[in-house]
Amino acid sequence: MTTADVGLALGETTAWGKGYGTETANLLLDEVFRQLNLHRAEWWTYAENNVSVQLAKKLGFKEEARLRDAVFFDNRYHDLVVLGLLRQEFESIRTAPETSRDKTVSYLQSP
């Protein structure tokens, strides 16, 4: 295995917009690339889920495909967007100088 499918869902709307998704996704990517030593991560989401697409892109994922009408859900068809991140891209983002990285990422701490 050289690829991991990653993604997340925050069901509680009160948790949205607080950085939990970014933190969790960063922890997942550390696991994929640093612990499991995989070559690639993939992120699949509905095309209309702009928050998910933007989060993936913020983390360094690149849009690679759009699968038209790929999923039937909620009584209609939805396009899927497939995004990918390679280990060397992940490493170059993580080793970039602190001033060029997004400062919102901090690992979860107890209250």
Side-chain angles (χ1 to χ4, degrees), residues 32-106:
V32 166
F33 293 116
R34 295 194 171 148
Q35 297 298 318
L36 298 175
N37 202 29
L38 298 180
H39 176 70
R40 171 184 170 78
E42 291 180 357
W43 185 293
W44 295 58
T45 189
Y46 294 117
E48 65 267 18
N49 189 344
N50 294 322
V51 173
S52 181
V53 171
Q54 290 309 310
L55 174 56
K57 289 180 177 181
K58 173 179 160 181
L59 295 167
F61 282 81
K62 308 246 185 303
E63 187 171 327
E64 298 179 337
R66 179 175 297 257
L67 307 176
R68 298 177 305 133
D69 284 354
V71 175
F72 189 80
F73 173 75
D74 222 8
N75 212 27
R76 67 184 185 98
Y77 286 98
H78 299 266
D79 290 358
L80 285 179
V81 175
V82 181
L83 301 106
L85 178 65
L86 303 177
R87 181 201 333 250
Q88 65 264 27
E89 295 167 337
F90 169 81
E91 291 299 341
S92 72
I93 291 167
R94 288 297 175 92
T95 58
E98 188 66 31
T99 56
S100 67
R101 283 192 275 153
D102 184 346
K103 303 244 189 230
T104 61
V105 177
S106 66

Side-chain angles (χ1 to χ4, degrees), residues 19-34:
Y20 299 137
T22 302
E23 258 185 83
T24 302
N26 273 304
L27 290 168
L28 281 171
L29 292 176
D30 279 342
E31 182 72 17
V32 166
F33 293 116
R34 295 194 171 148

